[in-house]
Amino acid sequence: MIEVRAVAGESRWRVEARAFCTAEGIVVLLTGGQRPHVGAVVLSLPRPSRAAPGRLSCTSTVLPLLGHKDDLVARPLAEELAVACGQAVVVVAGVHVDDATEEDIARLVANCRTAGATLIRQLERLPSF
């Protein structure tokens, strides 16, 4: 199993994405902030696109924990990875800052996107990707 890691942000807005590549899919742990946790799970399965023949799309199942919005960062990452690698992808996400303001949330979301994009670039460099 290959592990790839990406980090974005500092201090309470630091986010880490860790991908574990298996023979039949990728499992990603996306955590950060002051209290990493399990806030949402997303499973994305690649499939032929209905709108663009010859291209991949995906179907996703999203399971947020009650009161959590971590699926807003987990789903895009799972779907981008599933399309890019053509494999099943599971993302478990949980980022939290106590008493978060809109600015805090925006910074966390931006850092999740940055860490996710970095992770995808690193995975694309792998020979088996």
Side-chain angles (χ1 to χ4, degrees):
M1 180 167 34
I2 296 171
E3 180 182 348
V4 178
R5 186 179 97 122
V7 175
E10 296 178 0
S11 186
R12 63 193 218 151
W13 304 284
R14 184 179 187 272
V15 172
E16 180 177 17
R18 296 174 66 189
F20 302 89
C21 303
T22 72
E24 296 184 24
I26 299 173
V27 178
V28 176
L29 182 60
L30 179 63
T31 58
Q34 294 171 307
R35 193 167 27 121
H37 63 284
V38 175
V41 177
V42 177
L43 168 64
S44 292
L45 301 172
R47 62 168 172 76
S49 173
R50 295 182 198 122
R55 298 188 71 194
L56 281 181
S57 186
C58 63
T59 298
S60 297
T61 301
V62 180
L63 300 168
L65 273 69
L66 184 63
H68 292 257
K69 297 190 184 236
D70 301 280
D71 56 302
L72 298 176
V73 293
R75 185 177 188 152
L77 178 55
E79 291 180 345
E80 288 174 36
L81 266 172
V83 170
C85 71
Q87 295 186 50
V89 174
V90 172
V91 174
V92 178
V95 295
H96 177 85
V97 168
D98 292 333
D99 302 315
T101 64
E102 286 187 32
E103 180 184 340
D104 289 325
I105 294 168
R107 286 177 80 168
L108 285 170
V109 169
N111 289 338
C112 286
R113 288 183 182 146
T114 299
T118 301
L119 191 74
I120 290 170
R121 284 193 304 275
Q122 290 176 355
L123 289 168
E124 288 174 336
R125 290 188 205 127
L126 296 176
S128 59
F129 195 77

